[in-house]
C-alpha cells in the first residue's frame, strides 16, 4: 500500500513539474472591482481582434472562404496569428472529458485534488495540441506555405504561438475579467461576421492593403449591403426578395427563439434549515448544460473536416480521399464528410430549385448525427463538471438548504433532483442541437451554430452582470447597458 501511495505521489510530482514550466496567469490576490474586471475584459478583446489581423509570415495569399465555418466555431481567422483559435482548448477538453467519463482516468472531480489534476492536464494537452494542430493545418493544405522545411517550421511555430496566446488570454478573462475567454472569442467572431455581412460596403474580394480589390466597379462583385441587393431584386420576383431577406429574418428568429428557450426553467423550492420561513427557489434551466454541447460537437466536426483534407489525390477532376471529395474551391461535394457537414441554405434551395433525394438524405443524416453528438456531450458534461444530481445535492446540503417536505440529507435531495437533471441534460442537448441545425437550414448569417452560441453567451454575460453589479433596481439597466456596450 505504501508503495502504491509513493508511486501516485511521484506521478503527481511529475504533473506538477510539467505544469510549473508552462506559461500561466496568476490569480489576483484580492477581489477585483467591477470596472477593473470590465477593463481587463475589454483589453483582452482588443488584443484578440488585433492579433486576428496579423498575417503569418511564409503563408501564400489565398481565399479562405471554405473555412468560414471553422472560423465562426473556433473564434479564429485563417491566415492570421489566431488561425487555431480556441481549437486546441476545446479539443483538449473533449479528450479529457471522454477519458474521465469512461473512467480511464479515475478522477472524482468533486475533490479538490482531482480537479487540480484535471486542470493541469487540460492546460498541458491544450498547449500540446497547439503544435499538433499547427502541423496538421500546414500538412493538410489548410494553411498553404511558400518555401521549404525552414518555412514549414516557422509557420508551425507561429500557429502554435497564436494558440498559446489564446490560452493565456482565456486565463486572463477567467481570472481577471468577466466570464470565459472561449465564449467571448466565439461571440466576437460571430458578431463581426454578422456586422460585416449586413453593413459592409465592400465586395467579398476585398483584401487588406490591396485597395484595388475593394472597388466594386473593378472587381465586378456586388457590394455587401443586403438592402441594395434587395432593391435590385424587388424588380424581379417575390421569391428572390424572400431569399435575400431570409438570412436577416432567420437571424432575428434564432435570436428570439434562443432567448425564449434560455428563460424556460423548472423552479425547485428551497428553504434554509436553520431559518424557519426563509427560503428561495432554484431554477433548473431547460438548457441545463447551456451551450457546451454545441461547442464540443461543433469542434469535433471541425476536427473531422480538417482530418478529411489529408492525403487528397485527384480523381475525376476532384480531390478525394476515403472520407470526402472536394471541388476546385475546396467545398466538400461527396463522401462521408459530405453527409455530416451542415447543408446551409436548404430552405432557399427548396424554394428556388427544389431538393434532390441526395440533399434530403444529407439533411436527415446531419440532423441525426449532430443532435446525437449534442446529447452525448451534454450527458458527459453533467457527469464531468459536477452538475449531476448527487453533486448538486451535496452542494445544497453543504450550504444548509433543503427541499420542503424532505429530510435535509444528500440521499433525499438527490432522489428529487434525479427526476429532473438527467432528463434536462438529454432534452437540453437535443434542443440546442436542433436550434443550431434549424439556423443552418435557414441560412442564418454567422451560421445557426454561431448565432446560437453568441446569443447564449450574451445572455450568460447579462446574468453575470446582474450578479456582479450590486446597485438599486431602477439604475441597474443603465449600468448593464454600459457594460454590454463596452464589451
Amino acid at each position: 500500500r505504501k508503495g502504491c501511495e509513493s508511486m501516485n505521489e511521484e506521478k503527481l510530482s511529475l504533473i506538477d513539474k510539467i505544469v510549473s514550466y508552462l506559461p500561466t496567469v496568476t490569480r489576483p490576490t484580492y477581489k477585483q472591482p467591477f470596472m477593473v474586471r470590465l477593463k481587463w475584459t475589454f483589453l483582452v478583446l482588443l488584443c484578440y481582434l488585433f492579433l486576428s489581423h496579423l498575417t503569418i509570415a511564409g503563408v501564400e495569399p489565398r481565399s479562405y472562404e471554405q473555412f468560414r465555418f471553422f472560423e465562426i466555431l473556433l473564434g479564429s481567422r485563417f491566415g492570421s496569428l489566431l488561425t487555431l483559435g480556441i481549437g486546441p482548448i476545446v479539443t483538449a477538453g473533449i479528450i479529457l472529458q471522454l477519458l474521465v467519463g469512461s473512467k480511464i482516468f479515475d478522477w472524482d472531480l468533486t475533490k479538490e485534488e482531482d480537479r487540480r489534476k484535471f486542470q493541469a492536464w487540460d492546460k498541458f494537452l491544450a498547449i500540446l495540441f497547439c503544435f499538433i494542430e499547427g502541423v496538421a493545418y500546414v500538412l493538410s493544405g489548410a494553411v498553404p506555405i511558400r518555401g521549404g522545411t525552414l518555412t514549414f517550421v516557422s509557420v508551425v511555430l507561429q500557429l502554435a504561438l497564436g494558440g498559446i496566446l489564446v490560452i493565456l488570454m482565456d486565463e486572463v478573462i477567467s481570472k481577471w475579467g468577466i466570464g470565459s475567454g472561449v465564449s467571448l472569442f466565439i461571440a466576437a467572431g460571430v458578431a463581426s461576421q454578422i456586422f460585416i455581412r449586413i453593413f459592409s460596403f465592400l465586395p467579398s474580394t476585398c483584401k487588406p492593403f490591396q485597395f484595388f480589390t475593394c472597388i466594386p466597379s473593378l472587381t465586378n462583385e456586388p457590394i455587401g449591403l443586403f438592402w441594395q441587393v434587395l432593391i435590385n431584386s424587388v424588380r424581379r420576383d417575390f421569391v428572390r426578395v424572400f431569399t435575400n431577406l431570409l438570412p436577416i429574418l432567420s437571424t432575428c428568429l434564432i435570436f428570439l427563439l434562443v432567448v425564449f428557450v434560455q428563460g424556460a426553467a423548472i423552479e425547485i423550492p428551497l428553504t434554509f434549515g436553520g431559518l424557519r420561513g426563509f427560503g428561495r427557489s432554484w431554477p433548473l434551466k431547460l438548457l441545463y448544460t447551456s451551450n457546451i454541447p454545441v461547442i464540443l460537437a461543433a469542434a469535433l466536426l471541425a476536427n473531422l473536416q480538417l482530418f478529411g483534407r489529408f492525403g487528397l489525390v485527384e480523381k475525376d477532376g476532384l480531390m478525394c480521399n476515403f472520407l470526402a471529395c472536394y471541388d476546385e474551391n475546396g467545398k466538400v461535394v461527396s463522401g462521408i464528410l459530405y453527409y455530416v457537414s451542415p447543408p446551409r441554405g436548404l430552405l432557399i434551395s427548396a424554394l428556388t430549385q427544389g431538393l434532390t433525394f441526395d440533399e434530403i438524405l444529407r439533411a436527415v443524416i446531419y440532423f441525426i448525427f449532430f443532435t446525437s453528438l449534442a446529447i452525448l456531450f451534454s450527458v458527459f458534461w453533467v457527469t464531468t463538471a459536477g452538475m449531476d444530481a448527487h453533486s448538486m445535492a451535496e452542494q445544497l446540503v453543504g450550504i444548509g438548504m433543503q427541499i420542503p417536505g424532505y429530510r435535509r440529507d444528500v440521499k433525499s435531495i438527490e432522489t428529487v433532483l434525479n427526476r429532473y437533471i438527467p432528463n434536462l441534460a438529454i432534452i437540453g442537448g437535443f434542443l440546442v442541437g436542433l436550434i443550431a441545425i434549424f439556423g443552418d437550414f435557414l441560412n442564418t448569417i454567422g451560421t445557426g451554430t454561431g448565432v446560437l452560441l453568441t446569443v447564449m453567451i450574451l445572455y450568460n454575460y447579462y446574468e453575470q452582470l446582474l450578479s456582479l453589479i450590486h446597485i438599486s433596481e431602477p439604475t441597474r439597466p443603465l449600468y448593464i447597458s454600459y457594460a454590454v456596450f463596452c464589451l
Side-chain angles (χ1 to χ4, degrees):
R1 182 176 178 179
K2 290 182 179 178
C4 293
E5 290 178 354
S6 63
M7 287 179 63
N8 289 332
E9 290 178 358
E10 288 178 2
K11 290 180 180 178
L12 184 59
S13 64
L14 177 61
I15 295 173
D16 290 334
K17 288 180 181 178
I18 294 175
V19 175
S20 65
Y21 288 104
L22 300 178
T24 187
V25 177
T26 58
R27 291 187 177 276
T29 56
Y30 58 92
K31 186 176 180 180
Q32 298 293 304
F34 170 74
M35 292 306 298
V36 173
R37 297 179 65 177
L38 188 63
K39 289 176 182 177
W40 275 110
T41 306
F42 183 60
L43 179 62
V44 171
L45 182 57
L46 284 181
C47 292
Y48 163 80
L49 295 174
F50 174 74
L51 293 174
S52 67
H53 287 84
L54 287 182
T55 305
I56 295 178
V59 175
E60 290 185 357
R62 58 170 292 183
S63 172
Y64 295 99
E65 187 63 34
Q66 68 269 28
F67 298 110
R68 202 65 65 197
F69 181 69
F70 290 72
E71 293 181 343
I72 291 173
L73 295 181
L74 302 180
S76 64
R77 189 180 181 90
F78 271 68
S80 74
L81 195 61
L82 300 189
T83 297
L84 301 183
I86 63 170
I89 300 175
V90 178
T91 305
I94 292 174
I95 291 177
L96 269 184
Q97 283 192 46
L98 293 176
L99 292 175
V100 173
S102 60
K103 300 299 181 182
I104 296 177
F105 284 0
D106 194 10
W107 293 341
D108 183 2
L109 298 182
T110 60
K111 298 179 180 178
E112 179 64 29
E113 189 66 23
D114 287 346
R115 279 202 304 269
R116 191 173 66 83
K117 287 192 289 187
F118 183 90
Q119 293 169 359
W121 277 106
D122 185 42
K123 185 172 184 178
F124 172 74
L125 287 177
I127 293 179
L128 180 63
F129 273 108
C130 289
F131 293 92
I132 294 176
E133 292 189 7
V135 173
Y137 274 52
V138 176
L139 290 181
S140 65
V143 180
I145 62 174
R146 45 184 179 187
T149 305
L150 187 61
T151 305
F152 173 85
V153 174
S154 172
V155 170
V156 169
L157 290 178
Q158 291 177 77
L159 291 173
L161 174 62
I164 294 172
L165 288 176
V166 171
I167 295 173
L168 295 177
M169 287 191 292
D170 176 53
E171 285 193 36
V172 173
I173 291 289
S174 60
K175 295 178 180 178
W176 292 81
I178 302 173
S180 163
V182 171
S183 299
L184 183 64
F185 300 151
I186 293 175
V190 176
S192 63
Q193 288 288 331
I194 293 175
F195 186 85
I196 292 172
R197 285 281 304 276
I198 295 179
F199 298 108
S200 175
F201 286 89
L202 303 176
S204 59
T205 56
C206 184
K207 299 178 182 178
F209 308 112
Q210 298 181 18
F211 299 109
F212 68 92
T213 63
C214 301
I215 304 174
S217 60
L218 295 182
T219 59
N220 294 321
E221 288 282 339
I223 60 178
L225 281 175
F226 268 93
W227 64 268
Q228 287 196 341
V229 177
L230 178 62
I231 291 174
N232 294 331
S233 62
V234 166
R235 303 168 185 171
R236 299 184 180 93
D237 53 24
F238 174 77
V239 174
R240 186 66 178 270
V241 175
F242 181 72
T243 54
N244 280 319
L245 271 178
L246 186 60
I248 298 179
L249 295 176
S250 61
T251 303
C252 297
L253 177 62
I254 295 296
F255 185 96
L256 296 174
L257 182 61
V258 174
V259 171
F260 173 76
V261 177
Q262 184 82 353
I266 299 172
E267 299 289 340
I268 303 295
L270 297 173
T271 59
F272 282 95
L275 298 173
R276 183 174 299 178
F278 183 78
R280 53 166 296 183
S281 61
W282 175 38
L284 280 176
K285 291 189 175 183
L286 179 60
L287 304 183
Y288 185 63
T289 50
S290 187
N291 56 11
I292 298 298
V294 168
I295 292 178
L296 298 178
L300 179 60
L301 285 179
N303 284 316
L304 286 176
Q305 295 284 351
L306 177 64
F307 184 71
R309 294 181 181 272
F310 281 93
L312 295 175
V313 294
E314 188 172 356
K315 181 181 178 181
D316 298 330
L318 302 174
M319 300 301 293
C320 302
N321 60 13
F322 69 99
L323 286 175
C325 287
Y326 301 87
D327 61 15
E328 58 183 5
N329 297 320
K331 183 180 179 181
V332 59
V333 293
S334 63
I336 297 174
L337 294 183
Y338 172 78
Y339 292 100
V340 295
S341 58
R344 289 184 52 76
L346 194 70
L347 180 59
I348 294 178
S349 298
L351 291 174
T352 55
Q353 57 192 24
L355 296 177
T356 64
F357 175 77
D358 191 51
E359 290 174 329
I360 296 174
L361 179 63
R362 178 190 182 189
V364 172
I365 293 176
Y366 178 72
F367 171 82
I368 296 173
F369 182 73
F370 193 84
T371 53
S372 299
L373 277 182
I375 292 172
L376 180 65
F377 282 124
S378 181
V379 174
F380 273 164
W381 186 258
V382 167
T383 304
T384 58
M387 298 173 64
D388 58 291
H390 180 73
S391 301
M392 301 307 297
E394 287 185 337
Q395 293 181 31
L396 292 175
V397 172
I399 59 177
M401 304 197 77
Q402 68 182 77
I403 299 176
Y406 294 86
R407 290 181 298 175
R408 195 180 61 164
D409 61 72
V410 174
K411 193 67 178 177
S412 299
I413 299 178
E414 182 183 355
T415 302
V416 177
L417 295 183
N418 262 326
R419 301 174 188 171
Y420 305 105
I421 289 180
N423 295 327
L424 289 176
I426 295 174
I427 296 173
F430 174 77
L431 279 179
V432 293
L434 179 63
I435 295 173
I437 294 170
F438 182 62
D440 284 328
F441 287 175
L442 294 179
N443 200 28
T444 301
I445 301 175
T447 75
T449 305
V451 174
L452 168 71
L453 295 178
T454 302
V455 176
M456 296 184 73
I457 289 167
L458 293 178
Y459 194 95
N460 290 334
Y461 261 103
Y462 172 76
E463 291 183 330
Q464 291 180 47
L465 292 172
L466 281 179
S467 62
L468 287 173
I469 304 177
H470 302 289
I471 54 179
S472 61
E473 191 70 30
T475 56
R476 180 180 290 178
L478 178 62
Y479 280 81
I480 294 176
S481 300
Y482 169 70
V484 171
F485 173 76
C486 290
L487 291 176

